[in-house]
Coordinates of all heavy atoms in Angstrom, one line a residue:
V1 N -0.5 4.3 -1.0 CA 0.7 3.4 -0.8 C 1.9 4.2 -0.6 O 2.7 3.9 0.3 CB 0.8 2.3 -1.8 CG1 2.0 1.5 -1.6 CG2 -0.5 1.4 -1.8
T2 N 2.1 5.2 -1.5 CA 3.4 5.9 -1.6 C 3.5 6.8 -0.3 O 4.4 6.9 0.4 CB 3.4 6.8 -2.8 OG1 3.5 6.1 -3.9 CG2 4.6 7.8 -2.8
E3 N 2.3 7.4 0.1 CA 2.3 8.1 1.3 C 2.4 7.4 2.6 O 3.1 7.8 3.6 CB 1.0 9.0 1.4 CG 1.0 10.0 2.5 CD -0.2 10.9 2.4 OE1 -1.0 10.9 1.5 OE2 -0.3 11.8 3.4
A4 N 1.9 6.1 2.6 CA 2.1 5.3 3.8 C 3.5 5.0 4.0 O 4.0 5.1 5.1 CB 1.3 4.0 3.5
E5 N 4.3 4.8 2.9 CA 5.7 4.5 3.2 C 6.5 5.8 3.4 O 7.3 5.7 4.3 CB 6.3 4.0 1.7 CG 5.8 2.6 1.3 CD 6.1 1.6 2.3 OE1 7.2 1.8 3.1 OE2 5.4 0.5 2.3
R6 N 6.0 7.0 3.1 CA 6.7 8.3 3.4 C 6.4 8.5 4.9 O 7.2 8.9 5.6 CB 6.1 9.4 2.6 CG 6.7 10.8 2.8 CD 6.2 11.8 2.1 NE 4.7 12.0 2.4 CZ 4.2 12.7 3.4 NH1 5.0 13.1 4.3 NH2 2.9 12.7 3.5
L7 N 5.2 8.3 5.5 CA 4.8 8.5 6.8 C 5.6 7.7 7.7 O 5.7 7.9 8.9 CB 3.3 8.3 6.9 CG 2.3 9.4 6.3 CD1 1.0 8.9 6.4 CD2 2.5 10.7 7.1
R8 N 6.1 6.5 7.3 CA 6.9 5.6 8.0 C 8.4 6.0 8.0 O 9.3 5.4 8.7 CB 6.9 4.2 7.6 CG 5.4 3.6 7.9 CD 5.3 2.2 7.3 NE 6.2 1.3 7.9 CZ 7.2 0.8 7.4 NH1 7.7 1.1 6.2 NH2 8.1 -0.1 8.0
A9 N 8.7 7.0 7.3 CA 10.2 7.4 7.2 C 10.8 7.9 8.6 O 10.1 8.4 9.3 CB 10.4 8.4 6.0
G10 N 12.0 7.6 8.7 CA 12.7 8.1 9.9 C 12.6 7.0 11.0 O 12.0 6.1 10.9
A11 N 13.3 7.4 12.2 CA 13.3 6.7 13.3 C 12.0 6.2 13.8 O 11.6 5.1 14.2 CB 14.2 7.2 14.5
A12 N 11.0 7.3 13.9 CA 9.7 7.1 14.5 C 8.9 6.1 13.6 O 8.3 5.0 14.0 CB 9.0 8.2 14.6
G13 N 9.1 6.2 12.2 CA 8.4 5.4 11.3 C 8.8 3.9 11.3 O 8.0 3.0 11.0
R14 N 10.1 3.7 11.5 CA 10.6 2.3 11.6 C 9.9 1.6 12.8 O 9.8 0.3 12.7 CB 12.1 2.3 11.8 CG 12.9 2.6 10.5 CD 14.3 2.3 10.6 NE 15.0 3.1 11.6 CZ 15.6 4.3 11.3 NH1 15.6 4.7 10.0 NH2 16.2 5.0 12.2
N15 N 9.5 2.2 13.7 CA 8.8 1.5 14.9 C 7.4 1.1 14.5 O 6.9 0.3 15.3 CB 8.7 2.5 16.1 CG 10.1 2.8 16.7 OD1 11.0 1.9 16.6 ND2 10.2 4.0 17.4
K16 N 6.9 1.6 13.4 CA 5.6 1.3 13.0 C 5.5 0.0 12.2 O 4.3 -0.5 12.0 CB 5.0 2.5 12.2 CG 4.8 3.7 13.1 CD 4.4 4.9 12.1 CE 4.4 6.1 13.0 NZ 4.0 7.4 12.2
G17 N 6.5 -0.6 11.9 CA 6.4 -1.9 11.3 C 6.0 -1.9 9.9 O 6.1 -0.8 9.2
Q18 N 5.5 -3.0 9.5 CA 5.1 -3.2 8.0 C 3.8 -2.4 7.8 O 2.8 -2.5 8.5 CB 4.8 -4.7 7.8 CG 4.2 -4.9 6.3 CD 3.9 -6.3 6.1 OE1 3.6 -7.0 7.1 NE2 3.9 -6.8 4.9
S19 N 3.8 -1.5 6.9 CA 2.7 -0.5 6.6 C 1.6 -1.2 5.9 O 0.4 -0.9 6.0 CB 3.1 0.7 5.8 OG 3.6 0.4 4.6
I20 N 1.9 -2.1 5.0 CA 0.9 -2.9 4.2 C 0.9 -4.3 4.4 O 2.0 -4.9 4.0 CB 1.1 -2.5 2.7 CG1 1.2 -1.0 2.5 CG2 -0.2 -3.0 1.9 CD1 1.4 -0.6 1.1
S21 N -0.1 -5.0 5.0 CA -0.1 -6.4 5.2 C -0.3 -7.0 3.8 O -0.8 -6.4 2.8 CB -1.2 -6.6 6.2 OG -2.5 -6.4 5.5
D22 N -0.2 -8.3 3.8 CA -0.3 -9.1 2.5 C -1.8 -9.0 2.1 O -2.1 -8.9 1.0 CB 0.0 -10.5 2.7 CG 1.6 -10.8 2.8 OD1 2.2 -9.8 2.4 OD2 2.1 -11.8 3.3
E23 N -2.8 -9.0 3.1 CA -4.1 -8.9 2.7 C -4.5 -7.6 2.0 O -5.3 -7.6 1.1 CB -5.0 -9.0 4.1 CG -5.0 -10.4 4.6 CD -3.8 -10.6 5.6 OE1 -2.8 -9.7 5.6 OE2 -3.7 -11.6 6.4
Q24 N -3.9 -6.5 2.5 CA -4.0 -5.1 2.1 C -3.4 -5.1 0.6 O -4.0 -4.5 -0.3 CB -3.5 -4.1 2.9 CG -4.3 -3.8 4.1 CD -3.7 -2.8 5.1 OE1 -2.4 -2.9 5.4 NE2 -4.5 -1.9 5.6
K25 N -2.3 -5.7 0.4 CA -1.6 -5.7 -0.9 C -2.4 -6.3 -1.9 O -2.6 -5.8 -3.1 CB -0.3 -6.4 -0.9 CG 0.8 -5.8 -0.1 CD 2.1 -6.6 0.0 CE 3.2 -6.0 0.9 NZ 4.3 -6.8 1.0
L26 N -3.1 -7.4 -1.6 CA -4.2 -8.1 -2.5 C -5.3 -7.0 -2.9 O -5.7 -7.0 -4.0 CB -4.8 -9.3 -1.9 CG -4.0 -10.5 -1.9 CD1 -4.6 -11.7 -1.1 CD2 -3.7 -11.0 -3.3
K27 N -5.7 -6.4 -1.8 CA -6.8 -5.4 -2.1 C -6.3 -4.1 -2.9 O -7.1 -3.7 -3.9 CB -7.4 -4.9 -0.8 CG -8.2 -6.0 0.0 CD -8.7 -5.3 1.2 CE -9.4 -6.4 2.1 NZ -10.0 -5.8 3.3
V28 N -5.1 -3.7 -2.7 CA -4.6 -2.6 -3.5 C -4.4 -3.1 -5.0 O -4.8 -2.4 -5.9 CB -3.1 -2.2 -3.0 CG1 -2.4 -1.5 -3.9 CG2 -3.2 -1.5 -1.5
L29 N -3.9 -4.3 -5.1 CA -3.7 -4.9 -6.5 C -5.1 -5.0 -7.2 O -5.2 -4.7 -8.5 CB -2.9 -6.2 -6.4 CG -1.4 -6.0 -6.1 CD1 -0.9 -7.3 -5.8 CD2 -0.7 -5.3 -7.2
A30 N -6.1 -5.4 -6.4 CA -7.4 -5.6 -7.1 C -7.9 -4.4 -7.7 O -8.4 -4.3 -8.7 CB -8.4 -6.2 -6.0
E31 N -7.8 -3.2 -6.8 CA -8.3 -1.9 -7.4 C -7.5 -1.4 -8.5 O -8.0 -0.8 -9.4 CB -8.4 -0.9 -6.2 CG -9.4 -1.4 -5.1 CD -10.7 -1.9 -5.6 OE1 -11.3 -1.2 -6.6 OE2 -11.3 -2.8 -5.1
E32 N -6.2 -1.6 -8.4 CA -5.3 -1.2 -9.6 C -5.7 -1.9 -10.7 O -5.9 -1.3 -11.9 CB -3.9 -1.5 -9.1 CG -3.2 -0.5 -8.3 CD -1.6 -0.6 -8.2 OE1 -1.1 0.1 -9.0 OE2 -1.3 -1.4 -7.4
I33 N -5.8 -3.2 -10.7 CA -6.2 -4.0 -11.9 C -7.5 -3.7 -12.4 O -7.7 -3.5 -13.6 CB -6.1 -5.6 -11.6 CG1 -4.6 -5.9 -11.2 CG2 -6.7 -6.4 -12.6 CD1 -4.5 -7.3 -10.5
R34 N -8.6 -3.5 -11.5 CA -9.9 -3.1 -11.9 C -9.8 -1.7 -12.7 O -10.5 -1.7 -13.8 CB -10.8 -3.0 -10.7 CG -12.2 -2.7 -11.0 CD -13.0 -2.7 -9.8 NE -14.4 -2.4 -10.1 CZ -15.4 -2.2 -9.1 NH1 -14.9 -2.4 -7.8 NH2 -16.6 -1.9 -9.3
A35 N -9.1 -0.8 -12.2 CA -9.0 0.6 -12.8 C -8.4 0.5 -14.2 O -8.8 1.0 -15.2 CB -8.4 1.5 -11.9
L36 N -7.2 -0.2 -14.2 CA -6.5 -0.3 -15.5 C -7.1 -1.2 -16.5 O -7.1 -0.7 -17.8 CB -5.1 -1.1 -15.1 CG -4.1 -0.1 -14.4 CD1 -2.9 -1.1 -13.9 CD2 -3.5 1.0 -15.2
S37 N -8.0 -2.1 -16.2 CA -8.6 -2.9 -17.1 C -9.8 -1.9 -17.7 O -10.0 -2.0 -18.8 CB -9.3 -4.1 -16.5 OG -8.3 -5.0 -16.0
A38 N -10.5 -1.2 -16.8 CA -11.5 -0.3 -17.4 C -10.9 0.7 -18.3 O -11.6 1.2 -19.2 CB -12.1 0.3 -16.2
L39 N -9.7 1.1 -18.1 CA -9.0 2.1 -18.8 C -8.4 1.6 -20.1 O -7.6 2.2 -20.8 CB -8.1 2.9 -18.0 CG -8.6 3.7 -16.8 CD1 -7.5 4.2 -15.9 CD2 -9.4 4.9 -17.4
A40 N -8.5 0.2 -20.3 CA -7.9 -0.5 -21.5 C -6.4 -0.4 -21.5 O -5.8 -0.2 -22.5 CB -8.5 0.0 -22.8

């Protein structure tokens, strides 16, 4: 997620629009929550 935002930096990046859709945000959060829960 951090790198996706970095790759959009600058004038060329702004033309690339939203890097993470709402559907992808849900999937990102799902994997974060799954990992953090397993790590207590």
Side-chain angles (χ1 to χ4, degrees):
V1 171
T2 301
E3 188 171 358
E5 294 299 333
R6 181 182 62 76
L7 288 168
R8 291 175 64 252
R14 283 194 292 273
N15 294 330
K16 295 176 183 176
Q18 182 187 20
S19 62
I20 309 176
S21 66
D22 288 342
E23 293 84 354
Q24 288 178 313
K25 287 176 186 175
L26 280 172
K27 292 179 181 180
V28 166
L29 290 167
E31 298 312 316
E32 281 193 89
I33 291 167
R34 184 177 177 185
L36 289 168
S37 299
L39 295 167

